[in-house]
Amino acid sequence: MSPGPRRRAGPSTRRPPVVVVGMGRLGGALALALQAKRWPVRIHSRTAAGRQRAEALGLKAASPADLKRARVVLLCVPDASVPSVAQALSTTLPRTAALVHTAGALPLDALGTTRGRTRGSFHPLCAVSSPHDSLAGSTVAVSTPSRALRDVLRRMAADAGLRVIEVPEAHRAAYHAGAVLSAGGLVSLADAAVAALGASGIPPADALAALLPLMHSALRGLETRGLAGGLTGPIVRGDSGVVAAHLEALPADVAPLYRLLSLGEPPGAAAASECAGGRHAGLGAGLLYRQ
């Protein structure tokens, strides 16, 4: 019995040639994740050190022929370098190659405005400290006006184990600010908490070692029960005496942050509280609003 006619690969199965530009941590992690799923990936690095790192990871350098065959070119370079790298590549890449940056804050116009060039962004929401870091389980923000490129980027994300969210270009700054708050802001918050423990005489190293497990447990509660359900502490309980003591004891540069974060409780926190008289019931008139 002869086999039936071979079906042509459709958009859901096709893996077009990809060139990753830049051999830093993110570039290496993306290239390894895609290569593991049999994407035809090549590395384009302007430095000998970058090419050596690629070789050490088992990644192949892009030849001139590879650049001409490329259909997706991922720019994994510093944000400030994106416009110049995109401009330099535009003179050598075929028009059929889409330029995609991996910067959270940059608009698509950072890739240039060459007519006929498809553009996009692919910004993984994860802190990559090594090319060997797994991206699986994280989210990637995708933006492109091209339906065909969007399908390819979604396939890339799925193969790398990334969940996709789409970010409208007009709201990119707000998206990136939220991402920064959740990562860098969390580190700044930890620094303020260490300073608060320091006011009680606890050394910074001991303070951080004590606080990290507490922060981990708060994140687990947030993941399990959501914003309102994961909130704990004296604000939820309406314990005005404890809050007043906190504001009195905190260093002058930390107290305003405590007050601001307390006022910014997630909607629904009052419902989880034993106090039924409002969002900050029992905290005393103007306690949290006092400057």
Side-chain angles (χ1 to χ4, degrees):
M1 182 176 178
S2 62
R6 296 183 63 182
R7 299 177 62 183
R8 296 181 62 186
S12 62
T13 58
R14 191 178 300 121
R15 293 178 174 90
V18 174
V19 170
V20 175
V21 180
M23 198 47 228
R25 294 169 294 186
L26 177 58
L30 280 171
L32 287 174
L34 294 177
Q35 182 172 268
K37 292 295 184 177
R38 300 185 179 180
W39 284 71
V41 180
R42 296 292 184 268
I43 302 296
H44 181 64
S45 178
R46 292 176 293 177
T47 67
R51 292 189 290 273
Q52 289 170 359
R53 287 196 298 272
E55 184 179 359
L57 291 170
L59 298 167
K60 295 181 179 180
S63 67
D66 290 323
L67 291 175
K68 291 187 180 298
R69 283 194 296 266
R71 291 299 174 264
V72 177
V73 178
L74 281 173
L75 305 191
C76 299
V77 299
D79 290 16
S81 300
V82 167
S84 60
V85 172
Q87 183 178 16
L89 286 170
S90 288
T91 63
T92 58
L93 292 172
R95 286 287 179 87
T96 50
L99 280 177
V100 179
H101 70 59
T102 54
L106 294 183
L108 297 185
D109 281 348
L111 295 166
T113 55
T114 302
R115 188 171 182 177
R117 174 79 66 196
T118 303
R119 304 173 304 171
S121 68
F122 189 87
H123 178 238
L125 281 162
C126 56
V128 180
S129 58
S130 164
H132 294 289
D133 286 355
S134 172
L135 304 176
S138 296
T139 293
V140 62
V142 169
S143 177
T144 178
S146 165
R147 178 179 296 181
L149 178 58
R150 187 181 301 114
D151 289 344
V152 172
L153 295 181
R154 280 184 166 275
R155 177 60 189 270
M156 285 173 50
D159 280 351
L162 292 161
R163 176 178 173 269
V164 174
I165 57 174
E166 294 193 20
V167 179
E169 279 297 290
H171 303 296
R172 180 178 289 275
Y175 149 76
H176 193 246
V180 169
L181 278 173
S182 73
L186 185 63
V187 175
S188 296
L189 180 60
D191 181 66
V194 166
L197 266 66
S200 66
I202 300 174
D206 291 340
L208 184 60
L211 291 171
L212 282 174
L214 177 60
M215 295 175 73
H216 283 304
S217 66
L219 288 173
R220 286 195 298 271
L222 176 62
E223 185 175 16
T224 303
R225 293 180 287 278
L227 288 169
L231 191 66
T232 62
I235 304 297
V236 175
R237 297 192 299 270
D239 197 333
S240 60
V242 170
V243 173
H246 288 176
L247 292 171
E248 182 70 25
L250 285 170
D253 58 339
V254 176
L257 177 62
Y258 181 101
R259 185 178 289 112
L260 181 63
L261 291 175
S262 298
L263 287 170
E265 279 182 24
S273 172
E274 295 179 358
C275 304
R279 190 173 181 185
H280 296 117
L283 294 182
L287 178 62
L288 289 175
Y289 294 90
R290 193 178 305 148
Q291 299 297 320

Short mmCIF file of all heavy atoms in Angstrom, two decimals, residues 48-79:
data_model
loop_
_atom_site.label_atom_id
_atom_site.label_comp_id
_atom_site.label_asym_id
_atom_site.label_seq_id
_atom_site.Cartn_x
_atom_site.Cartn_y
_atom_site.Cartn_z
N ALA A 48 35.01 37.95 18.71
CA ALA A 48 35.56 36.60 18.77
C ALA A 48 35.15 35.90 20.07
O ALA A 48 34.87 34.70 20.08
CB ALA A 48 37.09 36.66 18.68
N ALA A 49 35.07 36.68 21.16
CA ALA A 49 34.66 36.10 22.45
C ALA A 49 33.24 35.56 22.37
O ALA A 49 32.94 34.49 22.90
CB ALA A 49 34.77 37.14 23.55
N GLY A 50 32.35 36.30 21.70
CA GLY A 50 30.98 35.85 21.55
C GLY A 50 30.89 34.58 20.73
O GLY A 50 30.13 33.66 21.06
N ARG A 51 31.67 34.51 19.66
CA ARG A 51 31.67 33.30 18.83
C ARG A 51 32.23 32.12 19.59
O ARG A 51 31.76 30.98 19.44
CB ARG A 51 32.46 33.56 17.54
CG ARG A 51 31.77 34.57 16.62
CD ARG A 51 32.45 34.65 15.28
NE ARG A 51 33.76 35.28 15.35
CZ ARG A 51 33.96 36.59 15.26
NH1 ARG A 51 32.92 37.43 15.10
NH2 ARG A 51 35.18 37.10 15.32
N GLN A 52 33.22 32.36 20.44
CA GLN A 52 33.78 31.28 21.25
C GLN A 52 32.76 30.78 22.28
O GLN A 52 32.65 29.57 22.51
CB GLN A 52 35.05 31.76 21.95
CG GLN A 52 36.23 31.96 21.00
CD GLN A 52 37.40 32.65 21.67
OE1 GLN A 52 37.35 33.01 22.86
NE2 GLN A 52 38.48 32.86 20.92
N ARG A 53 32.00 31.70 22.87
CA ARG A 53 30.97 31.28 23.82
C ARG A 53 29.91 30.44 23.12
O ARG A 53 29.43 29.45 23.68
CB ARG A 53 30.33 32.51 24.49
CG ARG A 53 31.21 33.21 25.50
CD ARG A 53 30.40 34.15 26.38
NE ARG A 53 29.77 35.23 25.61
CZ ARG A 53 30.34 36.39 25.32
NH1 ARG A 53 31.59 36.63 25.73
NH2 ARG A 53 29.70 37.32 24.63
N ALA A 54 29.54 30.86 21.92
CA ALA A 54 28.55 30.09 21.16
C ALA A 54 29.05 28.68 20.88
O ALA A 54 28.33 27.69 21.05
CB ALA A 54 28.22 30.82 19.86
N GLU A 55 30.29 28.58 20.45
CA GLU A 55 30.86 27.27 20.14
C GLU A 55 30.91 26.39 21.38
O GLU A 55 30.62 25.19 21.31
CB GLU A 55 32.26 27.45 19.55
CG GLU A 55 32.90 26.14 19.10
CD GLU A 55 34.27 26.34 18.48
OE1 GLU A 55 34.72 27.51 18.39
OE2 GLU A 55 34.89 25.34 18.08
N ALA A 56 31.26 27.00 22.52
CA ALA A 56 31.33 26.23 23.76
C ALA A 56 29.96 25.68 24.18
O ALA A 56 29.87 24.64 24.84
CB ALA A 56 31.90 27.10 24.88
N LEU A 57 28.89 26.37 23.75
CA LEU A 57 27.53 25.93 24.07
C LEU A 57 26.96 24.97 23.02
O LEU A 57 25.83 24.52 23.15
CB LEU A 57 26.60 27.14 24.19
CG LEU A 57 26.84 28.06 25.40
CD1 LEU A 57 26.01 29.33 25.26
CD2 LEU A 57 26.49 27.34 26.70
N GLY A 58 27.75 24.69 21.99
CA GLY A 58 27.26 23.81 20.93
C GLY A 58 26.39 24.51 19.92
O GLY A 58 25.60 23.87 19.22
N LEU A 59 26.53 25.84 19.82
CA LEU A 59 25.75 26.63 18.87
C LEU A 59 26.63 27.01 17.68
O LEU A 59 27.82 27.31 17.85
CB LEU A 59 25.22 27.90 19.54
CG LEU A 59 24.26 27.67 20.72
CD1 LEU A 59 24.06 28.95 21.51
CD2 LEU A 59 22.93 27.14 20.21
N LYS A 60 26.04 27.01 16.50
CA LYS A 60 26.81 27.29 15.28
C LYS A 60 26.77 28.77 14.91
O LYS A 60 25.73 29.42 15.04
CB LYS A 60 26.27 26.46 14.13
CG LYS A 60 26.45 24.95 14.32
CD LYS A 60 25.92 24.18 13.13
CE LYS A 60 26.11 22.68 13.30
NZ LYS A 60 25.58 21.90 12.15
N ALA A 61 27.90 29.27 14.44
CA ALA A 61 27.98 30.66 13.99
C ALA A 61 27.28 30.81 12.65
O ALA A 61 27.28 29.88 11.82
CB ALA A 61 29.43 31.11 13.88
N ALA A 62 26.68 31.96 12.43
CA ALA A 62 25.97 32.22 11.17
C ALA A 62 26.97 32.57 10.07
O ALA A 62 27.81 33.46 10.24
CB ALA A 62 24.97 33.35 11.36
N SER A 63 26.88 31.90 8.96
CA SER A 63 27.67 32.23 7.78
C SER A 63 26.92 33.28 6.96
O SER A 63 25.73 33.54 7.21
CB SER A 63 27.88 30.97 6.94
OG SER A 63 26.63 30.54 6.40
N PRO A 64 27.57 33.90 5.99
CA PRO A 64 26.85 34.83 5.10
C PRO A 64 25.63 34.17 4.45
O PRO A 64 24.58 34.81 4.30
CB PRO A 64 27.91 35.22 4.08
CG PRO A 64 29.21 35.10 4.82
CD PRO A 64 29.02 33.92 5.72
N ALA A 65 25.76 32.90 4.11
CA ALA A 65 24.61 32.19 3.52
C ALA A 65 23.48 32.04 4.52
O ALA A 65 22.30 32.12 4.17
CB ALA A 65 25.05 30.83 3.00
N ASP A 66 23.82 31.79 5.80
CA ASP A 66 22.80 31.68 6.84
C ASP A 66 22.04 32.99 7.00
O ASP A 66 20.82 33.00 7.21
CB ASP A 66 23.44 31.29 8.18
CG ASP A 66 23.95 29.86 8.20
OD1 ASP A 66 23.29 28.99 7.59
OD2 ASP A 66 25.01 29.63 8.81
N LEU A 67 22.76 34.11 6.93
CA LEU A 67 22.11 35.42 7.05
C LEU A 67 21.14 35.64 5.90
O LEU A 67 20.07 36.22 6.08
CB LEU A 67 23.16 36.53 7.10
CG LEU A 67 24.02 36.59 8.37
CD1 LEU A 67 25.09 37.66 8.23
CD2 LEU A 67 23.16 36.87 9.59
N LYS A 68 21.50 35.18 4.73
CA LYS A 68 20.61 35.35 3.57
C LYS A 68 19.38 34.45 3.66
O LYS A 68 18.32 34.78 3.12
CB LYS A 68 21.38 35.09 2.27
CG LYS A 68 22.43 36.15 1.95
CD LYS A 68 23.03 35.92 0.58
CE LYS A 68 24.09 36.98 0.28
NZ LYS A 68 23.48 38.34 0.26
N ARG A 69 19.53 33.31 4.34
CA ARG A 69 18.40 32.39 4.48
C ARG A 69 17.50 32.73 5.66
O ARG A 69 16.38 32.22 5.76
CB ARG A 69 18.91 30.95 4.66
CG ARG A 69 19.38 30.27 3.39
CD ARG A 69 19.55 28.78 3.62
NE ARG A 69 20.59 28.50 4.61
CZ ARG A 69 21.86 28.23 4.31
NH1 ARG A 69 22.25 28.22 3.03
NH2 ARG A 69 22.74 27.97 5.26
N ALA A 70 17.99 33.58 6.56
CA ALA A 70 17.26 33.85 7.81
C ALA A 70 15.88 34.43 7.53
O ALA A 70 15.68 35.24 6.64
CB ALA A 70 18.06 34.82 8.67
N ARG A 71 14.90 33.97 8.31
CA ARG A 71 13.56 34.53 8.23
C ARG A 71 13.18 35.29 9.49
O ARG A 71 12.31 36.14 9.46
CB ARG A 71 12.55 33.40 7.96
CG ARG A 71 12.69 32.79 6.57
CD ARG A 71 12.45 33.84 5.49
NE ARG A 71 12.70 33.34 4.14
CZ ARG A 71 13.84 33.53 3.50
NH1 ARG A 71 14.84 34.19 4.08
NH2 ARG A 71 14.01 33.06 2.29
N VAL A 72 13.82 34.95 10.60
CA VAL A 72 13.63 35.69 11.85
C VAL A 72 15.01 36.00 12.42
O VAL A 72 15.82 35.08 12.60
CB VAL A 72 12.80 34.89 12.87
CG1 VAL A 72 12.68 35.67 14.18
CG2 VAL A 72 11.42 34.57 12.32
N VAL A 73 15.26 37.27 12.70
CA VAL A 73 16.53 37.69 13.27
C VAL A 73 16.24 38.32 14.63
O VAL A 73 15.63 39.39 14.72
CB VAL A 73 17.26 38.69 12.35
CG1 VAL A 73 18.58 39.14 12.99
CG2 VAL A 73 17.53 38.05 10.99
N LEU A 74 16.66 37.62 15.70
CA LEU A 74 16.41 38.07 17.07
C LEU A 74 17.58 38.90 17.57
O LEU A 74 18.71 38.41 17.67
CB LEU A 74 16.24 36.86 17.99
CG LEU A 74 14.91 36.13 17.99
CD1 LEU A 74 15.02 34.86 18.85
CD2 LEU A 74 13.80 37.01 18.52
N LEU A 75 17.32 40.16 17.90
CA LEU A 75 18.38 41.03 18.40
C LEU A 75 18.44 40.94 19.93
O LEU A 75 17.62 41.54 20.63
CB LEU A 75 18.14 42.47 17.98
CG LEU A 75 17.97 42.75 16.48
CD1 LEU A 75 18.00 44.24 16.21
CD2 LEU A 75 19.04 42.05 15.67
N CYS A 76 19.38 40.18 20.43
CA CYS A 76 19.59 40.03 21.87
C CYS A 76 20.80 40.87 22.27
O CYS A 76 21.85 40.33 22.68
CB CYS A 76 19.77 38.57 22.24
SG CYS A 76 18.36 37.53 21.83
N VAL A 77 20.68 42.17 22.10
CA VAL A 77 21.76 43.12 22.36
C VAL A 77 21.26 44.16 23.34
O VAL A 77 20.04 44.28 23.55
CB VAL A 77 22.24 43.78 21.05
CG1 VAL A 77 22.77 42.73 20.08
CG2 VAL A 77 21.11 44.58 20.39
N PRO A 78 22.16 44.94 23.97
CA PRO A 78 21.70 46.01 24.87
C PRO A 78 20.74 46.96 24.16
O PRO A 78 20.86 47.21 22.96
CB PRO A 78 23.01 46.72 25.25
CG PRO A 78 24.07 45.67 25.11
CD PRO A 78 23.64 44.83 23.94
N ASP A 79 19.79 47.49 24.93
CA ASP A 79 18.76 48.36 24.34
C ASP A 79 19.36 49.48 23.50
O ASP A 79 18.87 49.78 22.40
CB ASP A 79 17.91 48.98 25.46
CG ASP A 79 17.00 47.95 26.13
OD1 ASP A 79 17.24 46.74 25.96
OD2 ASP A 79 16.07 48.36 26.84
#
